[in-house]
Amino acid sequence: QSDPHYFGIYGTVMISARRMEEALEDERERMATIDLLRVLSVLPPTDTPMELFASNRPGLNDDAKKVPNSRPLEKKDLSPIFVDSRLFVEARETLHKYGFLEPHTDSLRFVGKIHQQVQYCVRQGLRELDGSNAQDNSGRERVLRSVRLVFSERFVSDHRASPPWKDAAFLESSVQHWLSCVNLRNTNSSKILSSFPDDYDLDRQLGRYKHEHHMDFDTAID
């Protein structure tokens, strides 16, 4: 990037991120907020569903209807934003406060809106910071692993439900965007994330979903 406009936005975004981190004295709140920012940097900028996160997802709550045939997730495997509803809500409010996230018109269904340029700057900035800090790099891997686990719980397992794909539609764009970040579904984009076997499983299930739900034969995969 040699665009001075980009560098101006990048500098502003990184200053805001550092100020936000310094203002969060509670370690769990700081970790949850950065984790949410990490997730939003690799998911759709306008329609990341609330149902991905704590207290909004079937399967983690005793009083919620469990997704058929989904394998249970261990809380220790997940970032706190996928486990603790209070931390998720506070992290979302903090990102609103510092200008990373704008309220969505349908705030009950979607987390919020993040500008694409801000999203790109966040993604680049966090990756650079992670590369120089072993603890943050470990945090990045943890939160990305959390996203893969949640996708596996909600999307991959859902094709076994009856009727098929009953609860998968809200996740389609998120899975599509994620796979473009690992460069499995968009050959014109640069590879942002490292690919894992779970991503190929997601890719196969997305193809099957498109075939069964949209009758999209061009992208269907067995």
Side-chain angles (χ1 to χ4, degrees), residues 16-153:
S16 296
R18 291 189 182 95
R19 286 178 176 171
M20 181 177 70
E21 281 196 275
E22 292 171 358
L24 294 170
E25 297 180 357
D26 183 89
E27 177 62 22
R28 280 177 56 81
E29 289 182 15
R30 186 193 73 83
M31 183 172 69
T33 303
I34 297 301
D35 279 2
L36 183 55
L37 194 56
R38 284 186 174 111
V39 170
L40 295 176
S41 75
V42 292
L43 291 183
T46 60
D47 57 355
T48 294
M50 291 284 287
E51 290 170 87
L52 277 175
F53 300 97
S55 80
N56 302 294
R57 227 175 62 248
L60 278 186
N61 301 303
D62 294 334
D63 58 346
K65 182 180 179 182
K66 186 172 174 56
V67 177
N69 297 317
S70 63
R71 64 184 183 85
L73 295 179
E74 296 289 338
K75 290 185 177 182
K76 62 181 176 59
D77 293 332
L78 297 173
S79 161
I81 57 174
F82 298 100
V83 177
D84 189 321
S85 59
R86 179 188 65 82
L87 285 174
F88 168 73
V89 169
E90 290 179 354
R92 186 189 186 201
E93 291 177 352
T94 299
L95 294 184
H96 283 152
K97 177 181 176 180
Y98 283 86
F100 290 102
L101 199 61
E102 297 178 21
H104 198 284
T105 52
D106 192 350
S107 60
L108 295 179
R109 291 184 60 205
F110 300 105
V111 177
K113 297 186 293 184
I114 181 171
H115 191 279
Q116 287 184 334
Q117 274 282 53
V118 172
Q119 186 184 49
Y120 181 81
C121 291
V122 165
R123 192 162 57 227
Q124 294 298 110
L126 289 178
R127 185 162 58 178
E128 290 175 12
L129 290 176
D130 291 344
S132 62
N133 188 315
Q135 182 177 354
D136 284 344
N137 193 45
S138 174
R140 177 177 184 269
E141 292 304 316
R142 172 179 43 77
V143 74
L144 296 182
R145 184 173 65 249
S146 295
V147 176
R148 287 185 171 96
L149 286 171
V150 170
F151 279 160
S152 178
E153 178 203 40

